[in-house]
C-alpha cells in the first residue's frame, strides 16, 4: 500500500513537473543524444558499477538514465554518460540521469525531450485579397512545427523589403497604412532546420483600392492576452483598426498596483524595447469615442532561476535537528522540490519545509536525525523558463545504539493511541515517542520521556492517521548518553466517538452531534452493535454518511453495547479496535439533561506545578454549566472548588506533598479517574539557576539547578511559534547541548521537567554576532599582501581565493578573533575574493572583490622612479630656458633703447653740485633757495578716456628721457616773472624731434627716420612763412601746443608763453 502510494506521488510530481521543465527539441527528427549534466559536477565522486567480467569491454559509465519509473540499461549509455534516444525507441518525455556519489546519488538536470517535426500542410496561408488604401492589411501564414518554424516572406518573387509599415507577427504579416506600392503577389516560406524541412505556401495576390466610408473595427489578428517575454527583450503589441475616415488610437498602461496612464504612442503596433519593470502591466488599446472597441494585453517578463542560498553539506549527531537551505529566485516564482539520494523526498512527519525567522529563506528541517537520514539532499527549482539545482550531503556521526523493536499501536479513543514495544537494551534512561500526521505535512511532536515500554499518546486531531516512532536513550560506559535511531514507523488513528444514549418511545437514540460539530471533515461513520464485548463476539456494522450525527436503534430486550467509528477518507485504516470502549444501552437517559450526568471528564493534566499549587486542564465531551475539582492530600479530606471552564488553578497546597485530583460534572455523580501529582519541594525554584554557555558559533550548552531527572529542552529562533513546534532535546541530567543554532539570530529556550510537571521561564540567548556583507568589509594593501578589516568584533571565519569559480569548500579558511586579518602568499597579478562569516554558519555571503595591488609590481616601481626623475629633469630644463629667455629679452630691449643722456650737474646755493633733471637745471629760483611752485616738475599722461593720471615727481624717474617713444606725454613746469625766456621741450611731437637743441634734427634719436637722407636734416621753412596763426593758440593747462609737424618746420620759442599750473 505504502509503495503504491509512493509510486503515485512520484509519478504525480513528474507529471506536474513536465510543464515546468523547458522543452528540448531534438536536433534531428529521428534521434537525439542527451548529455548528463549534474550540478557541481567537480564535487561528485562518482562510483562506477561493478566492472564487466570481460576485460576487453569498455568500462561501464557512471551515470544511469531513467524516464519516469523506467530505467535504461547501462548498455545504452556511452562512456561519456550520454544517452542516445530514438523516436521509435523512447519517444518524447522527461529523461534524467543519476550518478552514484559515496553512499547516495545525485540527479542530473531533467531533459524534456520532444522530437522535431513539421506538418505537411499550412494551417493558414495567403489568399487573394483586396486592401483598402490607408488602412491595415493582414496576410496569414502558419504551420504546425516543433520547434516553431522560421517564417520568411517574398513579394513578387523577391525578398520582402525592409519597411517600417511591414510587421512580421507570429502567424501573420501586418501591413499598416496600405499604399499602392503594396500591391503584388505575396508568398511565405516556413523553415525548420531541426526537422530539415522547408515548406512554401501558395501565392496570394493583393490589390489596392480606394477606401470608402466605414465604421471602425478591430482587424482580426492572433491575440495573446497573457504576454510573457524574457527580460530585456523586444516586444510588439498589434492592435490594427479598420475604418474610414481614420480614427485616433489610444494606448493606456496600468502598472501593477498603479494608476492607469495614457501613452504618447498612437500607432497600431506598439513596440516595447528592452522590456523591464517600468513596461510591465496591463496594456489596452481603444478607439477614441468608442468604448466597445478595446483590446488588452497583460505584459510581464521572465527571468531564469538562480539558487541564492544553496544547501551545504553538514554533519549532525543523532537526535539533533538539521536544516538545509534552498532559496531560489526567478520570474515567475520558482517551485522547489527536494530529493534524497535521487528519490523524491516526502515532506511530512519529521521532515518539513519552514520559512526562516527573517522570512528570507526556505529551509528543509529534519528533526530527530537518525542514521537513515544520511545521504545526499538535492533541491530542484523550476519556473517554466529554466531549471536550477544544488545539493549537499548529510553525514550522521556519533556512537549508535539499537532502536526499539516490535512497536505496535492501537486506538484508545477518538484522539488517543496506545503504543507498546520491546526494550531496546538492558538499561535505558528514557524512551520518547515522536509522531506526526501521515497524509499531510506537519511538525513532529515528541511525547514526554519515560522509562516504560508502553504509552498512550494524545494526538492533536481526532480520527486522523499518525505515524509513530520510538527512540531510546542508552547510557555508555564512558558515562555519556547516546540516542538510538528511530524505530520503524507504525500508523494508527484515534477511534471511538463519544456518544450519548437517550430513551425514546420507538427505541434508543444514539447521538454524537457535539463531536460531529467540533470535528468537521468526517466522510463516513460506522455504528457498531454487539451483545458481547469479547473479541469473539458478533458485531453488527451500520454505515452512515458523514452528514449524519444520530441514529435510532430498537430498544433491545437484553443489554446491548454501542460504539461509533469515524473516518476522514472512504478507505478505512485497518486497526486493532480492542481498546475502543463500548457504551451500554443501560446508560440511556430519560431526558436530554441526563447527558450531562453521564459525561465524565478525561485527559487530566497538571501544569505549572509549584510549591503551593498547580494548574489543571481536562477534556469533556459535554458542555456543562460547571465542574467540580476536588483535591485530596494523602490521608486527608477532599477540598473542592468550582470551575466554569475545563481548567482550574489550585492553590494553598503544602510543598513536597502528594495529592490526588478528581474532576466531575457538577450535576453528575461520576468523576474522572484520579490524577496524582507531587508539589515542588520548598526552597529555590528548580529552574532558578537557568543559564547558558557558548560552546562555539553554532552550539550552546544550557544548565539549570534542581534534582537530576528527565527533562525536555525546547529551543527556537521564533518566539511566537507555538512551543509544541519548537525543536526538542531530551536529557536525564541538568544540562543539554544545543547544536545547529543560527548565531545571527537570538535563540529562545524552555526547559520542561516532569514529576512534577513544570517548565522554566523563557531563556533568551542573544545573537552571537552580526553577519557581515561585502559592503561592511574594507581593505588596504600591505607589503606582504592585503589586510581586510571590519568594525564588528567577535570570532570570524575568513575564506579567500583567487579563483572565484572553484567550490567554496576549497577556499582557504582562517579563523580569527580580531576585527582584521592579513592575507599573505597571494599572486600579485590576480584579484582576491574574500568572504567573512561567523564560524559554523553555512550561509552564502556576498564576496568582496579586491583588485590586484597596482603598487606591488617592481616594474611599476621602476617606471614610477624613472618618471619622477624625468619630470624633475624637465622642470630644471624649463627653468633654465626661462632664465635664458628673460636675459635675452632684457638685452634686446636695452639694445633697442637709445642711451639716456647724462644729467647736467646743478649748483646749489652752498656751491654744492647735485645731479637733477634737465628741467630742474633750467628752472629759475624765485627766492634764491627754492624753485617756483615748490620746484616741482610734474609729468602727466592721458588715459584713453581723456582723464589725467596722478602726477608723479619728475625726479622719481627719467620722465624727460625723449629717447623712449611714449606718445601723449607732456612735461609741465612753473616759471616766475623774472625768469628769462627759455626754450621749452615740446614732448607732444614724439621723441624723434629734439627741438630743444636747435633747428637741426638728430636722426640718431629716432629709429624710424630715414637715415639715408643724411646725418642732419635742415628745415628751410621758418615760422613766419607758416604764419602767426600757428602760435595764436595758447597751450592748454598741460602746456600742449598744436604745432605743425612738417618736415620743414622751424620752431620759434619766443612765440610761446608759458602758463601757470592750476596749483600755482
Amino acid at each position: 500500500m505504502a509503495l503504491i502510494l509512493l509510486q503515485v506521488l512520484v509519478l504525480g510530481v513528474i507529471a506536474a513537473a513536465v510543464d515546468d521543465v523547458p522543452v528540448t527539441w531534438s536536433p534531428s527528427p529521428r534521434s537525439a543524444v542527451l548529455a548528463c549534466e549534474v550540478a557541481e559536477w567537480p564535487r561528485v565522486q562518482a562510483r562506477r558499477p561493478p566492472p564487466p567480467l570481460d576485460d576487453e569491454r569498455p568500462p561501464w559509465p557512471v551515470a544511469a538514465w531513467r524516464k519516469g519509473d523506467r530505467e535504461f540499461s547501462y548498455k545504452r549509455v556511452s562512456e561519456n554518460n550520454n544517452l542516445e534516444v530514438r523516436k521509435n525507441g523512447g519517444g518524447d518525455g522527461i529523461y534524467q540521469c543519476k550518478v552514484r556519489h559515496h553512499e547516495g546519488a545525485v540527479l542530473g538536470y531533467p531533459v524534456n525531450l520532444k522530437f522535431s517535426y513539421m506538418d505537411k500542410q499550412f494551417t493558414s496561408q495567403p489568399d487573394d485579397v483586396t486592401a483598402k488604401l490607408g488602412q491595415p492589411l493582414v496576410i496569414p501564414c502558419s504551420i504546425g512545427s516543433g520547434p516553431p518554424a522560421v517564417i520568411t516572406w517574398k513579394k513578387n518573387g523577391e525578398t520582402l523589403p525592409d519597411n517600417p509599415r511591414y510587421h512580421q507577427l507570429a502567424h501573420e504579416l501586418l501591413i499598416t497604412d496600405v499604399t499602392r506600392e503594396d500591391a503584388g503577389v505575396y508568398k511565405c516560406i516556413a523553415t525548420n532546420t531541426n526537422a530539415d524541412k522547408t515548406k512554401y505556401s501558395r501565392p496570394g495576390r493583393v490589390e489596392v483600392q480606394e477606401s470608402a466610408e466605414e465604421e471602425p473595427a478591430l482587424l482580426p489578428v492572433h491575440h495573446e492576452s497573457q504576454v510573457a517575454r524574457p527580460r530585456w527583450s523586444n516586444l510588439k503589441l498589434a492592435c490594427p483598426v479598420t475604418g474610414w475616415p481614420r480614427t485616433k488610437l489610444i494606448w493606456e498602461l496600468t502598472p501593477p498596483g498603479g494608476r492607469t496612464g495614457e501613452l504618447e504612442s498612437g500607432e497600431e503596433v506598439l513596440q516595447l524595447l528592452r522590456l523591464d519593470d517600468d513596461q510591465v502591466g496591463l496594456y489596452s488599446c481603444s478607439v477614441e469615442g468608442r468604448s466597445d472597441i478595446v483590446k488588452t494585453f497583460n505584459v510581464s517578463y521572465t527571468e531564469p532561476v538562480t539558487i541564492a542560498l544553496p544547501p551545504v553539506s553538514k554533519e549532525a549527531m543523532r537526535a539533533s535537528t538539521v536544516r538545509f537551505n534552498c532559496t531560489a529566485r526567478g520570474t515567475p516564482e520558482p517551485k522547489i522540490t527536494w530529493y534524497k539520494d535521487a528519490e523524491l523526498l516526502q515532506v511530512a512527519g519529521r521532515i518539513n519545509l519552514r520559512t526562516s525567522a527573517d522570512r528570507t529563506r526556505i529551509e528543509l528541517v529534519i528533526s530527530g536525525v537518525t542514521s537513515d537520514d544520511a545521504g545526499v539532499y538535492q533541491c530542484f527549482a523550476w519556473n517554466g523558463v529554466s531549471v536550477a539545482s544544488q545539493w549537499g550531503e548529510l553525514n550522521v556521526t556519533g556512537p549508535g545504539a539499537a532502536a526499539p523493536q516490535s512497536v505496535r499501536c492501537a486506538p484508545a479513543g477518538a484522539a488517543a493511541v496506545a503504543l507498546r514495544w520491546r526494550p531496546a537494551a538492558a538499561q535505558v534512561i528514557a524512551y520518547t515517542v515522536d509522531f506526526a500526521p501521515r497524509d499531510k505535512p506537519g511538525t513532529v511532536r515528541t511525547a514526554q520521556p519515560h522509562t516504560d515500554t508502553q504509552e498512550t499518546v494524545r494526538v492533536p486531531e481526532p480520527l486522523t492517521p499518525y505515524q509513530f516512532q520510538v527512540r531510546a536513550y542508552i547510557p555508555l560506559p564512558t558515562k555519556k548518553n547516546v540516542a538510538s535511531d528511530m524505530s520503524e514507523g507504525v500508523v494508527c488513528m484515534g477511534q471511538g466517538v463519544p456518544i450519548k444514549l437517550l430513551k425514546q418511545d420507538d427505541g434508543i437514540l444514539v447521538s454524537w452531534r457535539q463531536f460531529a460539530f467540533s470535528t468537521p471533515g468526517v466522510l463516513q461513520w460506522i455504528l457498531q452493535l454487539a451483545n458481547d464485548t469479547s473479541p469473539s463476539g458478533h458485531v453488527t456494522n451500520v454505515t452512515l454518511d458523514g452528514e449524519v450525527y444520530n441514529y435510532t436503534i430498537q430498544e433491545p430486550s437484553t443489554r446491548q453495547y454501542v460504539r461509533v467509528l469515524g473516518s476522514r477518507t472512504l478507505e478505512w485504516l485497518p486497526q486493532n479496535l480492542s481498546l475502543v470502549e463500548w457504551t451500554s444501552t443501560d446508560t440511556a437517559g430519560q431526558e436530554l439533561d441526563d447527558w450531562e450526568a453521564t459525561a465524565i471528564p478525561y485527559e487530566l493534566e497538571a501544569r505549572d506545578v509549584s510549591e503551593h499549587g498547580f494548574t489543571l486542564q481536562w477534556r469533556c465531551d459535554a458542555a456543562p454549566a460547571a465542574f467540580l475539582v476536588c483535591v485530596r492530600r494523602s490521608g486527608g479530606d477532599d477540598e473542592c472548588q468550582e470551575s466554569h471552564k475545563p481548567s482550574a488553578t489550585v492553590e494553598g497546597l503544602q510543598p513536597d506533598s502528594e495529592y490526588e485530583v478528581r474532576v466531575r460534572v457538577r450535576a453528575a455523580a461520576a468523576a474522572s479517574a484520579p490524577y496524582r501529582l507531587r508539589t515542588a519541594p520548598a526552597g529555590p525554584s528548580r529552574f532558578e539557576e537557568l543559564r547558558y554557555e557558548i560552546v562555539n558559533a553554532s552550539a550552546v550548552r544550557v544548565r539549570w539547578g534542581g534534582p537530576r531527572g528527565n527533562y525536555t529542552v525546547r529551543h527556537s529562533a521564533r518566539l511566537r511559534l507555538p512551543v509544541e513546534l519548537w525543536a526538542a532535546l531530551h536529557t536525564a541530567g541538568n544540562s543539554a547541548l544545543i547544536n545547529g543554532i543560527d548565531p545571527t539570530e537570538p535563540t529562545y529556550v524552555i526547559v520542561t521537567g516532569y514529576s512534577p510537571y513544570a517548565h522554566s521561564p523563557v531563556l533568551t540567548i542573544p545573537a552571537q554576532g552580526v553577519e557581515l556583507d561585502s559592503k561592511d568589509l574594507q581593505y588596504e594593501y600591505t607589503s606582504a599582501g592585503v589586510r581586510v578589516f571590519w568594525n564588528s568584533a567577535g570570532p570570524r571565519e575568513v575564506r579567500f581565493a583567487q579563483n572565484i569559480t572553484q567550490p567554496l569548500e576549497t577556499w582557504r579558511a582562517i579563523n580569527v578573533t580580531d576585527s582584521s586579518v592579513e592575507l599573505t602568499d597571494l599572486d600579485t597579478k590576480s584579484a582576491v575574493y574574500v568572504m567573512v562569516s561567523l564560524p559554523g554558519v553555512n550561509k552564502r555571503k556576498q564576496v568582496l572583490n579586491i583588485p590586484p595591488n597596482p603598487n606591488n609590481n617592481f616594474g611599476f616601481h621602476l617606471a614610477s622612479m624613472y618618471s619622477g626623475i624625468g619630470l624633475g629633469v624637465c622642470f630644471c630644463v624649463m627653468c633654465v630656458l626661462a632664465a635664458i629667455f628673460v636675459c635675452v629679452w632684457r638685452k634686446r630691449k636695452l639694445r633697442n633703447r637709445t642711451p639716456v643722456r647724462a644729467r647736467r650737474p646743478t649748483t646749489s646755493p652752498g656751491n654744492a653740485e647735485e645731479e637733477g633733471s634737465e628741467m630742474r637745471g633750467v628752472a629759475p629760483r624765485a627766492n634764491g633757495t627754492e624753485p617756483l611752485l615748490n620746484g616741482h616738475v610734474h609729468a602727466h599722461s592721458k588715459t584713453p578716456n581723456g582723464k589725467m593720471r596722478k602726477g608723479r615727481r619728475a625726479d622719481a624717474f627719467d620722465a624727460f628721457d625723449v629717447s623712449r617713444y611714449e606718445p601723449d606725454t607732456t612735461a609741465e613746469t612753473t616759471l616766475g616773472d623774472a625768469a628769462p625766456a627759455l626754450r621749452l621741450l615740446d614732448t607732444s611731437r614724439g621723441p624723434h624731434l629734439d627741438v630743444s637743441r636747435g633747428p637741426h634734427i638728430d636722426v640718431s634719436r629716432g629709429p624710424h627716420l630715414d637715415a639715408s637722407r643724411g646725418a642732419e636734416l635742415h628745415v628751410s621753412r621758418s615760422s613766419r612763412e607758416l604764419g602767426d596763426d600757428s602760435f595764436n593758440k595758447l597751450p592748454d593747462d598741460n602746456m600742449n601746443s598744436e604745432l605743425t609737424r612738417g618736415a620743414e618746420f622751424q620752431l620759434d620759442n619766443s612765440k610761446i608763453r608759458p602758463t601757470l599750473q592750476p596749483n600755482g
Side-chain angles (χ1 to χ4, degrees):
M1 178 73 180
L3 180 60
I4 295 176
L5 178 61
L6 181 60
Q7 291 178 350
V8 171
L9 287 174
V10 172
L11 294 177
V13 171
I14 293 176
V18 171
D19 297 334
D20 296 327
V21 180
V23 175
T24 300
W25 293 100
S26 63
S28 69
R30 290 173 294 276
S31 63
V33 177
L34 306 182
C36 181
E37 298 181 4
V38 179
E40 300 188 52
W41 177 260
R43 290 176 52 199
V44 178
Q45 299 181 7
R47 289 171 37 197
R48 294 183 182 272
L53 298 177
D54 187 1
D55 295 338
E56 296 181 358
R57 294 173 55 188
W60 284 358
V62 298
W65 283 86
R66 71 183 181 187
K67 177 188 176 185
D69 58 346
R70 173 191 174 188
E71 292 193 4
F72 296 95
S73 172
Y74 279 100
K75 298 179 181 180
R76 298 187 57 178
V77 183
S78 64
E79 294 183 19
N80 54 0
N81 304 314
N82 294 340
L83 175 68
E84 184 178 1
V85 181
R86 297 188 176 274
K87 186 175 183 179
N88 56 2
D92 299 346
I94 292 185
Y95 295 80
Q96 199 167 20
C97 66
K98 176 179 69 174
V99 179
R100 305 292 295 180
H101 174 74
H102 290 170
E103 299 299 328
V106 182
L107 286 174
Y109 286 102
V111 181
N112 188 5
L113 177 65
K114 292 184 179 295
F115 283 90
S116 303
Y117 72 97
M118 176 179 277
D119 294 344
K120 295 182 179 180
Q121 301 295 332
F122 283 86
T123 56
S124 62
Q125 51 186 327
D127 291 319
D128 295 343
V129 66
T130 300
K132 297 180 180 180
L133 198 63
Q135 299 190 41
L137 171 66
V138 169
I139 305 176
C141 180
S142 63
I143 187 173
S145 174
V150 178
I151 305 295
T152 57
W153 288 86
K154 286 193 174 183
K155 175 185 176 183
N156 297 330
E158 298 181 357
T159 303
L160 190 70
D162 292 335
N163 194 316
R165 297 184 297 106
Y166 293 169
H167 303 279
Q168 295 190 25
L169 305 180
H171 302 280
E172 302 99 355
L173 172 64
L174 173 63
I175 304 176
T176 59
D177 297 333
V178 172
T179 63
R180 297 196 180 276
E181 288 76 9
D182 297 329
V185 178
Y186 290 81
K187 180 187 293 186
C188 67
I189 304 172
T191 304
N192 186 336
T193 57
N194 288 30
D196 195 18
K197 291 184 178 181
T198 301
K199 300 289 184 181
Y200 295 85
S201 72
R202 64 168 176 256
R205 181 175 297 276
V206 175
E207 297 181 354
V208 180
Q209 67 178 13
E210 292 289 341
S211 295
E213 185 175 353
E214 182 183 359
E215 288 292 324
L218 290 173
L219 182 63
V221 295
H222 177 73
H223 179 223
E224 190 177 359
S225 59
Q226 300 292 330
V227 184
R229 296 291 185 272
R231 193 174 187 180
W232 313 119
S233 62
N234 300 332
L235 175 63
K236 290 183 178 181
L237 303 180
C239 184
V241 178
T242 61
W244 194 264
R246 303 298 290 159
T247 56
K248 181 181 178 181
L249 192 65
I250 300 176
W251 283 95
E252 293 180 329
L253 169 61
T254 305
R259 297 183 178 180
T260 303
E262 183 176 344
L263 303 180
E264 297 180 358
S265 176
E267 302 293 332
E268 293 178 306
V269 177
L270 180 64
Q271 299 192 28
L272 305 179
L273 304 179
R274 294 184 59 79
L275 189 61
D276 202 0
D277 292 327
D278 58 343
Q279 297 173 309
V280 171
L282 182 64
Y283 288 82
S284 64
C285 66
S286 60
V287 176
E288 186 178 26
R290 294 290 300 270
S291 59
D292 58 328
I293 304 178
V294 179
K295 195 174 184 180
T296 59
F297 307 85
N298 193 0
V299 177
S300 61
Y301 63 75
T302 61
E303 289 183 301
V305 178
T306 58
I307 297 181
L309 293 175
V312 180
S313 299
K314 298 182 178 181
E315 289 188 355
M317 300 286 291
R318 291 174 180 80
S320 62
T321 300
V322 174
R323 292 175 173 85
F324 284 104
N325 290 326
C326 187
T327 302
R329 296 186 177 92
T331 307
E333 185 177 355
K335 302 176 183 177
I336 297 178
T337 305
W338 282 92
Y339 292 82
K340 178 181 179 292
D341 294 333
E343 298 294 335
L344 181 67
L345 182 64
Q346 186 177 2
V347 180
R350 296 185 301 107
I351 303 175
N352 284 279
L353 290 177
R354 297 182 189 174
T355 303
S356 62
D358 55 3
R359 306 290 181 180
T360 60
R361 304 186 306 274
I362 299 177
E363 301 174 332
L364 177 70
V365 181
I366 305 175
S367 303
V369 173
T370 67
S371 299
D372 295 335
D373 294 328
V376 177
Y377 289 83
Q378 185 175 11
C379 67
F380 280 88
W382 34 42
N383 65 349
V385 179
S386 65
V387 181
S389 176
Q390 294 288 345
W391 55 274
E393 290 184 86
L394 175 60
N395 183 22
V396 179
T397 61
Q405 303 293 325
S406 303
V407 180
R408 298 289 183 266
C409 65
V417 175
L419 296 168
R420 64 175 60 248
W421 56 88
R422 289 169 50 187
Q427 183 179 2
V428 177
I429 296 177
Y431 293 99
T432 57
V433 177
D434 291 358
F435 57 96
R438 183 198 65 177
D439 299 332
K440 61 181 180 179
T443 303
V444 174
R445 297 173 181 265
T446 304
Q448 298 180 7
H450 58 84
T451 56
D452 296 334
T453 57
Q454 60 182 0
E455 182 181 2
T456 299
V457 180
R458 304 292 179 180
V459 294
E461 298 183 19
L463 307 183
T464 301
Y466 280 82
Q467 183 178 24
F468 298 85
Q469 291 180 294
V470 183
R471 187 193 296 271
Y473 294 86
I474 302 172
L476 295 178
T478 58
K479 298 183 179 180
K480 291 184 179 180
N481 302 331
V482 61
S484 71
D485 287 333
M486 285 290 187
S487 67
E488 294 185 1
V490 293
V491 178
C492 279
M493 61 181 289
Q495 276 297 358
V497 175
I499 60 177
K500 69 176 181 178
L501 306 180
L502 179 65
K503 288 184 179 181
Q504 294 182 339
D505 297 337
D506 56 349
I508 298 177
L509 175 66
V510 182
S511 177
W512 57 96
R513 179 180 60 181
Q514 185 175 357
F515 179 85
F517 288 167
S518 61
T519 312
V522 178
L523 298 181
Q524 200 172 70
W525 307 98
I526 293 181
L527 185 144
Q528 293 185 331
L529 296 172
N531 296 325
D532 185 6
T533 59
S534 62
S536 60
H538 177 71
V539 178
T540 302
N541 293 331
V542 180
T543 303
L544 302 173
D545 188 77
E547 298 180 356
V548 177
Y549 48 82
N550 54 54
Y551 185 79
T552 302
I553 60 175
Q554 293 182 357
E555 185 173 359
S557 57
T558 60
R559 177 185 301 173
Q560 280 190 334
Y561 297 92
V562 184
R563 67 183 178 187
V564 176
L565 311 177
S567 175
R568 297 179 184 270
T569 61
L570 297 180
E571 183 180 356
W572 287 74
L573 179 67
Q575 296 189 101
N576 178 12
L577 303 178
S578 59
L579 300 181
V580 180
E581 295 183 354
W582 294 86
T583 302
S584 173
T585 55
D586 295 341
T587 61
Q590 299 292 335
E591 298 180 1
L592 291 178
D593 292 342
D594 293 341
W595 167 243
E596 292 188 5
T598 59
I600 300 176
Y602 61 95
E603 294 186 11
L604 276 66
E605 184 178 5
R607 293 181 175 272
D608 300 331
V609 180
S610 62
E611 302 175 11
H612 304 286
F614 57 88
T615 299
L616 187 69
Q617 296 178 342
W618 61 88
R619 296 180 63 178
C620 185
D621 297 326
F627 296 93
L628 281 180
V629 180
C630 299
V631 181
R632 177 190 300 175
R633 188 179 179 183
S634 299
D637 298 330
D638 287 343
E639 296 182 2
C640 300
Q641 65 184 54
E642 187 177 289
S643 176
H644 298 278
K645 57 184 180 180
S647 64
T649 300
V650 179
E651 296 178 345
L653 306 181
Q654 297 296 322
D656 197 16
S657 301
E658 291 186 359
Y659 287 88
E660 182 180 279
V661 185
R662 295 175 184 267
V663 181
R664 64 180 175 88
V665 177
R666 188 177 182 85
S672 66
Y675 182 85
R676 296 177 176 83
L677 59 87
R678 189 178 188 89
T679 56
S685 172
R686 63 202 293 192
F687 301 115
E688 184 177 357
E689 300 177 2
L690 185 63
R691 61 192 184 278
Y692 67 91
E693 299 174 0
I694 301 298
V695 178
N696 54 46
S698 60
V700 62
R701 180 173 293 278
V702 179
R703 300 181 183 274
W704 59 91
R708 295 178 61 87
N710 295 327
Y711 294 92
T712 300
V713 180
R714 297 184 179 272
H715 61 92
S716 173
R718 298 171 59 183
L719 183 60
R720 296 186 178 182
L721 192 70
V723 177
E724 293 78 7
L725 304 182
W726 292 19
L729 296 174
H730 304 284
T731 180
N734 298 87
S735 66
L737 180 64
I738 303 175
N739 292 304
I741 65 173
D742 190 344
T744 62
E745 298 175 352
T747 303
Y748 305 97
V749 180
I750 291 181
V751 181
T752 303
Y754 309 97
S755 300
Y757 180 88
H759 62 79
S760 70
V762 177
L763 174 65
T764 302
I765 302 175
Q768 301 181 33
V770 178
E771 276 291 355
L772 299 177
D773 211 341
S774 59
K775 62 183 180 181
D776 301 323
L777 304 178
Q778 301 181 29
Y779 66 91
E780 62 180 6
Y781 298 107
T782 63
S783 58
V786 62
R787 188 176 76 91
V788 181
F789 55 94
W790 53 91
N791 293 328
S792 178
R796 301 283 176 178
E797 183 182 55
V798 181
R799 289 184 174 270
F800 66 98
Q802 295 190 275
N803 181 9
I804 198 171
T805 61
Q806 68 185 70
L808 183 62
E809 291 76 8
T810 62
W811 290 25
R812 286 185 286 176
I814 301 176
N815 293 320
V816 298
T817 57
D818 201 358
S819 59
S820 66
V821 62
E822 185 172 5
L823 309 180
T824 59
D825 193 17
L826 302 175
D827 184 2
T828 57
K829 298 181 181 179
S830 302
V832 184
Y833 306 96
V834 183
M835 187 175 67
V836 181
S837 62
L838 293 172
V841 179
N842 294 316
K843 297 180 183 177
R844 298 284 180 114
K845 306 300 296 180
Q846 293 185 2
V847 177
L848 174 65
N849 185 1
I850 303 177
N853 185 0
N855 300 324
N856 222 13
N857 195 327
F858 176 77
F860 178 85
H861 282 300
L862 195 61
S864 301
M865 182 180 66
Y866 287 156
S867 299
I869 295 175
L871 290 175
V873 171
C874 291
F875 180 79
C876 294
V877 171
M878 290 179 64
C879 292
V880 171
L881 292 177
I884 294 174
F885 175 80
V886 171
C887 293
V888 173
W889 177 76
R890 287 184 176 179
K891 288 182 180 181
R892 293 189 63 182
K893 187 175 181 181
L894 293 177
R895 187 183 303 116
N896 293 334
R897 179 183 303 173
T898 302
V900 182
R901 296 190 302 255
R903 299 175 183 239
R904 292 192 298 267
T906 57
T907 305
S908 63
N911 297 325
E913 288 188 359
E914 65 178 358
E915 188 175 346
S917 65
E918 294 178 354
M919 288 300 296
R920 183 173 296 178
V922 299
R925 301 178 184 267
N927 53 8
T929 57
E930 293 290 337
L932 289 176
L933 299 179
N934 299 326
H936 292 171
V937 178
H938 300 279
H940 294 270
S941 64
K942 288 186 178 179
T943 60
N945 57 5
K947 295 183 178 180
M948 304 304 298
R949 289 196 179 100
K950 185 176 180 181
R952 299 178 297 174
R953 291 286 298 267
D955 55 355
F957 53 86
D958 50 351
F960 296 96
D961 185 2
V962 295
S963 64
R964 294 182 302 175
Y965 177 69
E966 294 180 355
D968 200 17
T969 303
T970 61
E972 305 168 4
T973 187
T974 304
L975 302 177
D977 296 338
L982 299 175
R983 293 174 297 175
L984 293 176
L985 174 63
D986 185 4
T987 60
S988 63
R989 283 169 170 73
H992 58 283
L993 293 177
D994 188 3
V995 296
S996 62
R997 300 179 62 181
H1000 302 288
I1001 298 176
D1002 187 2
V1003 296
S1004 63
R1005 299 292 186 182
H1008 50 279
L1009 291 180
D1010 189 4
S1012 62
R1013 298 177 61 185
E1016 295 183 352
L1017 181 61
H1018 300 278
V1019 181
S1020 61
R1021 298 181 62 185
S1022 64
S1023 61
R1024 292 184 176 86
E1025 294 177 356
L1026 297 175
D1028 296 336
D1029 198 28
S1030 60
F1031 293 96
N1032 289 336
K1033 295 182 179 180
L1034 295 177
D1036 56 12
D1037 292 339
N1038 295 326
M1039 297 296 294
N1040 294 328
S1041 299
E1042 298 180 2
L1043 301 180
T1044 303
R1045 287 187 173 88
E1048 299 178 355
F1049 174 72
Q1050 185 172 0
L1051 180 64
D1052 187 0
N1053 292 334
S1054 63
K1055 296 294 184 178
I1056 301 177
R1057 291 175 299 177
T1059 60
L1060 295 177
Q1061 279 285 79
N1063 60 359

